[in-house]
Amino acid sequence: MKRENILFLDFDDVLNSIRSVYKKFSEALGVEWKEEDFDPKYWGQGNIDEINPELQKKIENALNESKKDPKWEMPNLSGENYPHDEFAIQNLNKIVEENQAKVVICSSWRLGRSVSELQKILDSWGAKCEVIGVTPKKMSSTRGEEILMWLRDNHQKVKGICILDDSLFDISPWLDEYCVKKIKGHHHGLRDIHIPEAKKCFEVPYKYKR
């Protein structure tokens, strides 16, 4: 049986970000933004959304103006309308291509959706990857346990693994060396600096432990 690299993929705060939300929100309000408005220099400076405070002020002013029109409706950016980040998708594509990886979805988006439905979502976002499965869900199971369950049932197919998730507290205790660190939606989600980190994860041989 051919062994392959497996990429465990989360969606929220990995493939979307504050930038993608504000871009969509700004479009709805007619507010222009620049890439520099999301520069790392704004991170950790007390601004709750960690973006250029001038842009945030423009958005707030435009929102207050729009609310004066009784027909104006707030854009729906929740659930499936939560916008993907095109740069995060580009970085995902590079990771998949460079490591010839297949994708297993560990995101909560997998609940109530088939593999083909998840594939269609990623396809519509411009992702170039093959979804081959989802992690199982059991009562009170953590994400780390769910990944381990998938590996238990499919370890004979696995050459290497990499985990892209913004929350690692219940994954790292078991699989830390395979986790790409510091992916945060409040910043830029999956960034170019994570591409070489993902490669390092795949380079660590995965050995199944009973």
Side-chain angles (χ1 to χ4, degrees), residues 10-39:
D10 183 25
F11 281 12
D12 291 328
D13 293 330
V14 176
L15 299 183
N16 49 40
S17 68
I18 280 294
R19 176 181 56 204
S20 63
V21 170
Y22 269 96
K23 177 181 178 182
K24 188 68 81 172
F25 201 54
S26 296
E27 287 174 356
L29 293 168
V31 176
E32 293 184 3
W33 62 274
K34 305 185 298 296
E35 196 63 39
E36 292 78 12
D37 291 322
F38 302 91
D39 193 276

Side-chain angles (χ1 to χ4, degrees), residues 163-175:
I163 302 167
L164 302 180
D165 200 308
D166 67 302
S167 181
L168 299 173
F169 72 95
D170 61 356
I171 301 176
S172 288
W174 295 283
L175 298 160

Side-chain angles (χ1 to χ4, degrees), residues 145-183:
E145 290 169 336
E146 292 161 0
I147 291 173
L148 286 172
M149 283 188 279
W150 190 93
L151 289 168
R152 178 198 64 199
D153 296 337
N154 298 276
H155 63 90
Q156 69 278 7
K157 306 174 186 176
V158 179
K159 178 172 69 174
I161 67 173
C162 175
I163 302 167
L164 302 180
D165 200 308
D166 67 302
S167 181
L168 299 173
F169 72 95
D170 61 356
I171 301 176
S172 288
W174 295 283
L175 298 160
D176 186 68
E177 59 192 333
Y178 304 109
C179 296
V180 173
K181 309 299 196 300
K182 297 181 179 179
I183 300 176

Side-chain angles (χ1 to χ4, degrees), residues 85-100:
D85 186 306
E86 65 266 33
F87 296 107
I89 295 296
Q90 289 173 16
N91 295 328
L92 170 66
N93 289 342
K94 289 176 183 176
I95 290 172
V96 168
E97 181 181 9
E98 286 185 7
N99 301 283
Q100 297 181 313

Side-chain angles (χ1 to χ4, degrees), residues 71-87:
K71 295 182 180 180
W72 189 81
E73 295 182 358
M74 188 83 88
N76 180 7
L77 302 180
S78 62
E80 291 189 24
N81 295 309
Y82 200 53
H84 67 278
D85 186 306
E86 65 266 33
F87 296 107

